[in-house]
Amino acid sequence: MSTLPMDSPLSSGEYFTMGLFLTAEGILGVLCCGVVLMSFLGNNNKMSPSRSSLVISLALADMGIAIICPFAASASFTESWPFGETGCQTYAFFGMTFGIASVTNLAALTVDIYHETQGHPAKSSSLLVMAIWVNALFWGVAPLNPIRWGRYTVEPFGTGCLLDFESRDIMYLAYLLVMVVVCFVIPVGAMIYCAINVKTCMVMTLSLLLYWGVYGIVAVAAGVGSASNVPIRLFALAPVVAKLAPIGNTILVHWTNQQTSTIGKATKEE
């Protein structure tokens, strides 16, 4: 497995900047998710059990994203992937699993808020949370041995690992297509439907597109055309933006809690 081309695709300054951003995102992400977990695992929140379960699940997924930030930050400072093949496969597995869990959790939370604002709150989300994690684990495990549906490798900018967007293997392209539809298109589609009628859902949808939209563009562009046609800085930007999710989602959870509490009070007064 190659780690970095002889000529680094980014400048030393760009790698150093990526390292700083990833370090800050890791520290702040762990702190933010820790605050959410302490709050919602205790008895000092006023959300429904269904909402609380989804928020806790989202915070755990985002905590996972934040925890792997130091590995990408370290690689950025050294301008190469220093953890070898096993480290690459492990990092990619956790990145894929926690990333998909974060996306689908946020989508599920958006749908839950939509139903609550429409007067049909869910009583429990335990089965939904279980399905979210089983789905995320499936797509995270699939590229690993012995299944090998999909493939993890060092990303083109050389300091992170994820899917091999340069592969033209038909089975890999099938994996990429189905994964994008199941884990991105369908969740985003559900969020857009909710966003049409509920402002809170609109903000959550735009936030998800902000975090994960760059990866979505890269995946589609590489799958339809060629990874070599995707600007290298767009590849490098994708993980940095995606790792804002733990921080942004913490703010979203606090904001949506205030918004739905206000809606709930207004409904009771009517």
Side-chain angles (χ1 to χ4, degrees):
M1 178 192 69
S2 61
T3 56
L4 191 68
M6 292 295 291
D7 295 322
S8 298
L10 301 177
S11 69
S12 294
E14 289 170 323
Y15 279 120
F16 185 76
T17 301
M18 283 179 62
L20 289 180
F21 270 100
L22 290 165
T23 299
E25 288 172 333
I27 295 171
L28 292 175
V30 168
L31 291 175
C32 287
C33 293
V35 169
V36 172
L37 289 172
M38 285 190 293
S39 175
F40 283 83
L41 287 172
N43 298 315
N44 56 336
N45 77 84
K46 298 180 181 180
M47 288 188 179
S48 66
S50 172
R51 179 84 63 79
S52 293
S53 296
L54 289 171
V55 169
I56 291 170
S57 180
L58 176 63
L60 288 173
D62 287 340
M63 177 75 81
I65 293 173
I67 287 174
I68 65 174
C69 279
F71 297 95
S74 176
S76 296
F77 287 132
T78 60
E79 301 184 21
S80 64
W81 182 256
F83 305 109
E85 174 70 18
T86 300
C88 181
Q89 298 297 308
T90 304
Y91 175 89
F93 162 73
F94 283 116
M96 177 67 74
T97 301
F98 289 131
I100 290 175
S102 179
V103 169
T104 48
N105 264 297
L106 188 58
L109 184 59
T110 303
V111 174
D112 183 81
I113 290 173
Y114 171 79
H115 283 300
E116 183 173 321
T117 58
Q118 300 303 305
H120 307 289
K123 294 181 180 179
S124 175
S125 59
S126 298
L127 290 178
L128 178 57
V129 169
M130 186 182 300
I132 286 170
W133 282 99
V134 169
N135 176 69
L137 283 169
F138 171 78
W139 294 106
V141 167
L144 300 174
N145 287 324
I147 302 174
R148 299 291 290 178
W149 188 34
R151 179 172 178 264
Y152 293 137
T153 190
V154 175
E155 295 182 271
F157 52 90
T159 59
C161 290
L162 201 62
L163 294 173
D164 183 3
F165 290 111
E166 295 183 356
S167 175
R168 298 292 92 189
D169 179 76
I170 188 65
M171 290 301 293
Y172 168 77
L173 292 176
Y175 168 89
L176 184 63
L177 174 63
V178 179
M179 184 273 294
V180 168
V181 171
V182 172
C183 302
F184 192 76
V185 175
I186 292 177
V188 170
M191 294 176 76
I192 290 174
Y193 175 82
C194 298
I196 293 173
N197 297 309
V198 181
K199 179 183 176 181
T200 303
C201 296
M202 174 64 76
V203 174
M204 297 175 75
T205 303
L206 293 175
S207 297
L208 184 142
L209 291 174
L210 171 64
Y211 310 144
W212 300 103
V214 180
Y215 260 133
I217 293 170
V218 168
V220 172
V224 173
S226 171
S228 61
N229 294 328
V230 179
I232 194 67
R233 286 170 179 78
L234 189 63
F235 266 114
L237 181 65
V240 176
V241 176
K243 288 178 175 60
L244 287 171
I247 304 167
N249 285 341
T250 299
I251 297 171
L252 270 181
V253 166
H254 177 71
W255 181 74
T256 55
N257 189 22
Q258 291 183 322
Q259 293 295 308
T260 52
S261 296
T262 302
I263 293 173
K265 290 179 181 179
T267 302
K268 289 180 181 180
E269 291 175 358
E270 291 176 0

